[in-house]
Amino acid sequence: MASSSCCFSGSSISSAYHHHDRPPYMKPKFIQSQPISNQNDPYSSLTSITTTCTAKNSRNVRGERDRENLERESRERKEEVNNKIASKKAISVILRREATKAIIEKKKGPTNSKKLLPRTLLEALHERISALRWESALKVFELLQEQLWYRPNPGIYIKLIVMLGKCKQPDKAQELFQSMIDEGCMANHESYTALVSAYSRTGLLHQAFSLLEQMKVTPGCKPDVFTYSILIKSCLQVFAFDHVQTLLSDMAEQGVKPNTITYNTLIDAYGKAGRFGEMESTLMEMLLEQECQPDVWTMNSTLRAFGGSGQIETMERCYEKFQSAGIRPSIKTFNILLDSYGKAGSYEKMSAVMEYMQKYYFSWTIVTYNVVIDAFGRAGDLKQMEYLFRLMRSERIKPNCVTLCSLVRSYGRAGAKEKIEGVIRFIENSDILLDTVFFNCLVDAYGRLGCLAEMRQVLEMMEKSGCKPGKVTYSTMIKAYTSNGVSSRAKELQDIIGRQYVNRRDSKLSQIDEPHFH
């Protein structure tokens, strides 16, 4: 892929940053660092610095754990004292709350169920909204409406509508919106924006755009930058870039200026789609705006775009520009750099980043461990990969599907079937929630090894875990069957893929829903 550095290599971006007159920040030493140990073997530097950094990180985590233990013990002592001096009145309140919770769960109770404690009901509602338990939340809200002290509150309605949007329940959100109006609450731009979000999150862009037009003509409900940002993000998620440009033009007509969140959303989406020209022009526009200053999210999106596409030099120039503008890197920034260098095989630069993290006390997160584990797996160093896996568990960092995918993928390449079985045993004794991507990696690993019986058993594992095999799953199995001369099995799976494609195409044709502007 050609390098897209039209504005980052020139003086335009520097002058744009100077326009903000920001203070300088420390020069990133690791960008042009030399190998740390053996210059003839850059990979050895990664191994040596990993050992040092993980040991340092282990000490930091242990120190933090000791402080947390002391704080927890202090809190427990205070709680014990408070419990001892609790009055009978407080105990009575606690008992009443427990009774209220029981009524909430059963929706059946004594005749005084309309006199429940407000605080308990509101706490129960908040808990269910936060956990996205929409059905239970609506039941609690119904019980709330039955109380003698109940008064309609648009804030509660908005929270419920936002929750329903996240749960892909736009029809329920519309019902609540109408119920809010029927109860005498005035609709404002916040409630409309919540409903717009509910439709756009579900992909019903036509309804979302219709609501946008309705907001424009409703007094006190003019769409603001948050309304437009939500719609822009939804369009970008389905790659509807033409609608994004229409929205941006509409914002200009309405006198609504994009904010940092809007620009960051655009930069991140353009970068992930490989539309580097549009990403850079958006960044330049943002830099020239007095009221919108780039932040660490802007930097991370830009670095991820160039680093993920293998444009390492452009990524490094961007990092220097952002640093000189006074934007401080976060742990996420270093994870992006580590991942980019690891996939590019730049092990000495990975080592330098880890050394920098150690020097400035950046503790490793699960993402850091996953990135470095994957790097060692790609390099074929199973011993070091397994050491890091044991270390992350000793630090009480729970592995996830990304970790397991790296392990299985590496074992498959190395032909270590017994190691793959060890990973499966580990999963059986854990509560890790598996996804289709992990099972696809497992299918690929067994296919590489020619273990066709074990590969078929993965489908049963997927069914037990509630995961459905998709096109990638079947295509990987077809490849394995074909390379092992089992053409009949490959033909069966090709027929399955064909039927799935037809069904999916018919479903999409029946749900075509194009947004429009009046």
Side-chain angles (χ1 to χ4, degrees):
M1 185 178 293
S3 176
S4 302
S5 55
C6 54
C7 70
F8 291 101
S9 58
S11 59
S12 58
I13 193 168
S14 299
S15 60
Y17 273 123
H18 182 71
H19 181 70
H20 285 287
D21 194 22
R22 297 178 178 175
Y25 187 56
M26 65 181 72
K27 184 178 180 180
K29 297 180 181 178
F30 60 83
I31 290 296
Q32 296 178 340
S33 62
Q34 297 298 319
I36 294 178
S37 55
N38 186 355
Q39 295 187 12
N40 296 323
D41 184 10
Y43 179 74
S44 66
S45 66
L46 176 61
T47 304
S48 61
I49 197 64
T50 299
T51 305
T52 304
C53 289
T54 52
K56 178 72 173 179
N57 183 68
S58 179
R59 289 194 296 272
N60 290 342
V61 172
R62 282 197 295 271
E64 292 175 2
R65 192 180 302 153
D66 291 340
R67 287 193 296 272
E68 290 175 358
N69 289 336
L70 289 173
E71 291 175 359
R72 185 173 63 253
E73 290 174 0
S74 177
R75 286 196 303 269
E76 289 174 354
R77 285 195 296 270
K78 290 181 180 179
E79 290 175 2
E80 186 177 356
V81 172
N82 291 335
N83 289 335
K84 288 180 180 179
I85 63 174
S87 65
K88 291 183 179 181
K89 183 177 178 180
I91 294 173
S92 175
V93 170
I94 292 172
L95 292 174
R96 288 172 62 192
R97 286 183 180 175
E98 292 299 324
T100 304
K101 289 179 181 178
I103 294 172
I104 289 172
E105 295 299 329
K106 296 180 180 179
K107 194 74 192 299
K108 295 177 182 179
T111 55
N112 63 350
S113 62
K114 295 184 178 182
K115 299 179 182 179
L116 300 176
L117 288 173
R119 180 174 176 179
T120 307
L121 273 177
L122 293 173
E123 284 177 353
L125 182 62
H126 175 73
E127 176 188 317
R128 285 156 176 77
I129 290 175
S130 300
L132 300 182
R133 295 165 53 191
W134 68 272
E135 292 177 311
S136 181
L138 292 182
K139 289 179 181 179
V140 174
F141 183 61
E142 289 176 6
L143 188 59
L144 181 70
Q145 290 176 308
E146 295 174 0
Q147 302 308 302
L148 299 176
W149 44 262
Y150 171 75
R151 297 293 181 275
N153 186 325
I156 294 177
Y157 273 105
I158 290 171
K159 289 181 179 179
L160 286 167
I161 292 171
V162 170
M163 174 201 66
L164 290 169
K166 293 178 179 178
C167 297
K168 307 295 178 66
Q169 298 293 327
D171 293 337
K172 295 288 184 182
Q174 175 64 51
E175 289 177 11
L176 271 184
F177 183 82
Q178 187 59 49
S179 175
M180 179 186 71
I181 296 174
D182 294 341
E183 286 195 342
C185 295
M186 292 292 294
N188 56 19
H189 79 280
E190 290 185 13
S191 54
Y192 266 108
T193 299
L195 190 57
V196 166
S197 176
Y199 279 117
S200 62
R201 280 176 180 270
T202 319
L204 301 175
L205 297 180
H206 176 77
Q207 288 90 329
F209 276 71
S210 296
L211 280 171
L212 180 68
E213 295 301 319
Q214 187 176 335
M215 291 178 71
K216 294 177 185 177
V217 297
T218 304
C221 298
K222 297 291 183 182
D224 58 9
V225 64
F226 298 105
T227 314
Y228 281 104
S229 295
I230 287 170
L231 276 171
I232 287 171
K233 184 176 181 179
S234 297
C235 291
L236 289 170
Q237 287 175 342
V238 295
F239 305 104
F241 295 105
D242 52 339
H243 296 313
V244 171
Q245 293 305 318
T246 305
L247 282 169
L248 292 172
S249 300
D250 192 53
M251 287 178 70
E253 292 177 5
Q254 297 292 323
V256 179
K257 290 187 176 181
N259 61 11
T260 301
I261 296 175
T262 314
Y263 281 118
N264 285 347
T265 302
L266 289 166
I267 290 168
D268 186 59
Y270 286 141
K272 289 178 178 177
R275 300 168 76 105
F276 299 110
E278 290 162 284
M279 184 189 77
E280 292 178 13
S281 62
T282 303
L283 179 58
M284 287 300 301
E285 181 182 339
M286 181 183 189
L287 292 172
L288 295 173
E289 283 284 345
Q290 289 285 349
E291 298 177 1
C292 292
Q293 297 192 3
D295 55 16
V296 68
W297 295 96
T298 319
M299 176 168 68
N300 290 343
S301 296
T302 307
L303 298 183
R304 187 189 300 110
F306 287 121
S309 61
Q311 301 182 55
I312 301 299
E313 291 183 1
T314 307
M315 179 190 73
E316 292 174 346
R317 284 196 294 272
C318 291
Y319 183 84
E320 290 180 344
K321 297 295 185 184
F322 281 113
Q323 283 260 84
S324 64
I327 299 176
R328 295 175 180 269
S330 64
I331 183 64
K332 190 172 183 178
T333 311
F334 294 120
N335 289 337
I336 292 169
L337 293 171
L338 285 170
D339 188 48
S340 301
Y341 287 139
K343 289 177 179 176
S346 301
Y347 299 119
E348 64 184 62
K349 289 186 176 180
M350 278 191 75
S351 303
V353 173
M354 288 190 286
E355 186 179 38
Y356 188 92
M357 292 171 67
Q358 175 191 358
K359 182 177 180 181
Y360 292 100
Y361 303 101
F362 285 91
S363 297
W364 285 24
T365 65
I366 184 173
V367 177
T368 317
Y369 274 107
N370 285 344
V371 167
V372 182
I373 284 173
D374 186 64
F376 279 112
R378 288 174 183 272
D381 192 340
L382 302 186
K383 184 177 179 181
Q384 191 70 14
M385 180 186 73
E386 291 169 348
Y387 163 73
L388 285 166
F389 181 66
R390 291 193 301 272
L391 182 64
M392 76 180 294
R393 292 175 61 194
S394 70
E395 299 298 343
R396 299 181 182 179
I397 297 178
K398 183 180 177 181
N400 58 15
C401 278
V402 177
T403 321
L404 301 177
C405 283
S406 297
L407 295 175
V408 169
R409 192 183 299 114
S410 302
Y411 291 143
R413 290 170 181 163
K417 178 186 175 183
E418 69 284 354
K419 298 282 189 180
I420 297 176
E421 292 172 348
V423 174
I424 294 175
R425 287 193 296 272
F426 169 78
I427 292 171
E428 291 173 349
N429 296 318
S430 70
D431 60 347
I432 298 175
L433 188 63
L434 302 176
D435 59 13
T436 304
V437 176
F438 167 75
F439 287 114
N440 289 343
C441 288
L442 194 56
V443 166
D444 181 64
Y446 278 133
R448 285 173 179 269
L449 298 173
C451 302
L452 303 184
E454 289 83 352
M455 184 179 70
R456 287 195 299 272
Q457 290 175 358
V458 175
L459 296 179
E460 298 177 7
M461 294 173 61
M462 293 182 74
E463 185 177 355
K464 291 179 181 178
S465 299
C467 296
K468 292 184 178 180
K471 184 177 180 181
V472 175
T473 315
Y474 291 128
S475 298
T476 306
M477 295 181 74
I478 289 170
K479 181 181 177 182
Y481 282 131
T482 304
S483 61
N484 284 275
V486 190
S487 56
S488 58
R489 289 281 188 180
K491 180 66 170 60
E492 291 176 6
L493 292 177
Q494 285 173 342
D495 292 340
I496 291 175
I497 292 177
R499 288 195 296 272
Q500 286 186 344
Y501 171 76
V502 171
N503 293 337
R504 190 161 53 246
R505 182 194 61 190
D506 293 343
S507 176
K508 286 184 177 179
L509 287 174
S510 65
Q511 294 179 1
I512 288 178
D513 190 14
E514 287 292 327
H516 66 278
F517 283 94
H518 296 297

